[in-house]
């Protein structure tokens, strides 16, 4: 059952990534044509943004697939942290191919402004892009909200603290894309109304700054999980209560939980067993409980040791 739930969570994330890839690829092509026809700086920035997002989905696809490989002798904790490595590459790609290109192009347009034309094409492409990006964002939002409800969190809180870097990246990139489209529309509209390319160029720079902020946040979150991110208090309480609900565990004196991949925990605990088992039975009972814990959908490995009588029980 737990393995089935893990496959279900992974499949949902992969579906979200595939939808985002398809939407971004279509939008990137359309924006590139519109940018070439109109000469709009904001459209060029949006095209760079969408191509960066499209390439990033490849990294996110690799992140999800490679992190799901089963553990082996060379990787006793599994390959879960690969998700954060590939997601880090995607975040750097968003920063360089999206943010830097958009900001540089905007500055270039301010220094050497070029008139834009065929504004109707830009508006049509922006509208179509908003629909496609909106569809991708809805998919990411639904999956994030579902995960948030399980942990009794707010959706945005789940985005920030989730151990799933691929879902966080798709959610953040799609949200930034929708905001970027509004900024691009404003820049193109003001360019048309005023006849000045300055608002369009500023729009390109603002889109670039927005992408840079999103990229830095994603890079920081992946860094935290790569170096060993501890769990949030709600997860610690939930896992501690699950241990205490086990019929063979009387009390809990120590609990260490660490993410070793998306939705994967390494668990170390000191417990006091129910009853007074003979010494030769204690190890057998502990190993059995460990295997039972590892059947849980989020526990990659569990290590239990005996608590000493003088240790205080954990307050959960």
């Amino acid at each position: 059952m737990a393995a089935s739930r893990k496959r279900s969570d992974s499949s949902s994330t992969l579906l979200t990534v595939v939808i985002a890839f398809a939407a971004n690829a279509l939008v990137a092509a359309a924006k590139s044509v519109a940018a070439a026809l109109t000469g709009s700086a904001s459209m060029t920035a949006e095209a760079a943004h969408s191509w960066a997002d499209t390439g990033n989905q490849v990294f996110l696809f690799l992140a999800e697939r490679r992190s799901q490989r089963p553990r082996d002798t060379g990787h006793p904790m599994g390959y879960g942290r690969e998700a954060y490595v590939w997601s880090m590459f995607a975040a750097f790609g968003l920063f360089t191919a999206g943010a830097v290109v958009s900001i540089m192009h905007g500055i270039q347009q301010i220094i050497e402004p070029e008139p834009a034309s065929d504004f109707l094409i830009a508006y049509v492409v922006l509208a179509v892009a908003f629909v496609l990006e909106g569809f991708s964002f809805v998919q990411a939002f639904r999956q994030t909200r579902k995960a948030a409800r399980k942990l009794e969190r707010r959706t945005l809180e789940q985005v920030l603290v989730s151990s799933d870097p691929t879902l966080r990246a798709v959610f953040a990139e799609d949200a930034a894309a929708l905001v970027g489209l509004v900024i691009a529309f404003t820049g193109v509209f003001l360019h048309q109304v005023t006849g000045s390319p300055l608002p369009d160029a500023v729009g390109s720079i603002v889109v670039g700054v927005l992408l840079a902020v999103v990229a830095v946040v994603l890079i920081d979150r992946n860094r935290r999980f790569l170096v060993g991110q501890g769990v949030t208090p709600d997860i610690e309480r939930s896992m501690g209560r699950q241990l205490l609900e086990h019929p063979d565990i009387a009390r809990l004196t120590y609990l260490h939980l660490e993410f070793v991949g998306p939705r994967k925990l390494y668990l170390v605990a000191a417990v006091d067993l129910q009853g007074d088992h003979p010494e030769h039975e204690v190890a057998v009972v502990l190993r059995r409980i460990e295997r039972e814990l590892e059947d849980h959908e989020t526990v990659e490995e569990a290590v239990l040791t005996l608590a000493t009588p003088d240790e205080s029980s954990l307050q959960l």
Side-chain angles (χ1 to χ4, degrees):
M1 181 66 73
S4 176
R5 285 195 294 266
K6 290 179 182 179
R7 287 194 296 269
S8 176
D9 288 340
S10 178
S11 297
S12 297
T13 302
L14 281 175
L15 175 62
T16 300
V17 171
V18 170
I19 290 174
F21 174 83
N24 284 318
L26 291 171
V27 169
K31 287 178 180 177
S32 297
V33 173
L37 293 176
T38 64
S40 166
S42 293
M43 284 303 303
T44 302
E46 276 299 302
H49 176 188
S50 291
W51 282 120
D53 282 353
T54 303
N56 288 347
Q57 305 313 315
V58 177
F59 286 123
L60 296 179
F61 181 83
L62 288 172
E64 190 63 24
R65 290 302 297 267
R66 293 179 68 86
S67 68
Q68 294 301 316
R69 289 184 295 172
R71 57 182 176 174
D72 51 36
T73 54
H75 296 81
M77 290 296 174
Y79 292 81
R81 285 198 174 105
E82 281 223 38
Y84 306 117
V85 174
W86 292 100
S87 296
M88 182 81 81
F89 290 158
F92 278 118
L94 181 66
F95 186 86
T96 55
V100 174
V101 170
S102 298
I103 292 173
M104 289 181 62
H105 186 73
I107 294 173
Q108 182 181 2
Q109 282 293 98
I110 292 176
I111 297 173
E112 299 177 0
E114 296 179 4
S117 59
D118 297 319
F119 293 102
L120 180 60
I121 294 175
Y123 294 140
V124 171
V125 169
L126 288 172
V128 172
F130 196 88
V131 172
L132 292 174
E133 295 282 11
F135 179 74
S136 177
F137 177 75
V138 167
Q139 169 66 19
F141 180 83
R142 285 176 175 172
Q143 189 180 349
T144 305
R145 184 175 60 180
K146 179 180 178 181
R149 285 176 174 173
K150 286 182 179 180
L151 296 170
E152 298 181 349
R153 293 173 178 164
R154 295 184 297 274
T155 302
L156 291 180
E157 179 187 6
Q158 175 66 14
V159 172
L160 291 175
V161 303
S162 172
S163 64
D164 188 340
T166 54
L167 183 58
R168 174 170 37 249
V170 173
F171 186 101
E173 289 176 6
D174 285 348
L178 292 174
V179 175
L181 287 169
V182 174
I183 295 171
F185 172 84
T186 304
V188 172
F189 178 74
L190 291 176
H191 188 167
Q192 181 183 17
V193 171
T194 64
S196 170
L198 182 61
D200 203 5
V202 171
S204 178
I205 295 173
V206 173
V207 169
V209 171
L210 171 66
L211 297 182
V213 171
V214 171
V216 168
V217 171
L218 293 177
I219 289 169
D220 179 66
R221 295 308 302 167
N222 285 302
R223 177 192 64 81
R224 289 172 181 266
F225 280 97
L226 277 173
V227 300
Q229 173 74 54
V231 301
T232 53
D234 57 340
I235 292 179
E236 184 175 24
R237 285 193 299 270
S238 175
M239 190 58 66
R241 288 167 182 165
Q242 181 179 330
L243 283 167
L244 290 173
E245 289 171 359
H246 194 283
D248 290 321
I249 295 178
R251 66 191 187 100
L252 178 66
T253 62
Y254 174 79
L255 178 62
H256 171 81
L257 295 168
E258 181 180 328
F259 281 109
V260 293
R263 305 173 297 276
K264 295 180 180 180
L265 288 170
Y266 174 52
L267 182 155
V268 180
V271 300
D272 190 7
L273 297 177
Q274 295 281 8
D276 189 14
H277 294 273
E279 183 178 349
H280 67 277
E281 291 184 5
V282 171
V284 175
V285 175
L286 288 178
R287 297 300 174 271
R288 174 171 54 79
I289 299 174
E290 288 172 353
R291 301 295 83 80
E292 291 174 2
L293 289 170
E294 289 170 2
D295 284 337
H296 190 273
E297 59 183 312
T298 60
V299 178
E300 181 69 21
E301 183 171 354
V303 178
L304 299 183
T305 185
L306 289 178
T308 60
D310 61 319
E311 291 177 325
S312 301
S313 299
L314 285 183
Q315 301 299 317
L316 299 171

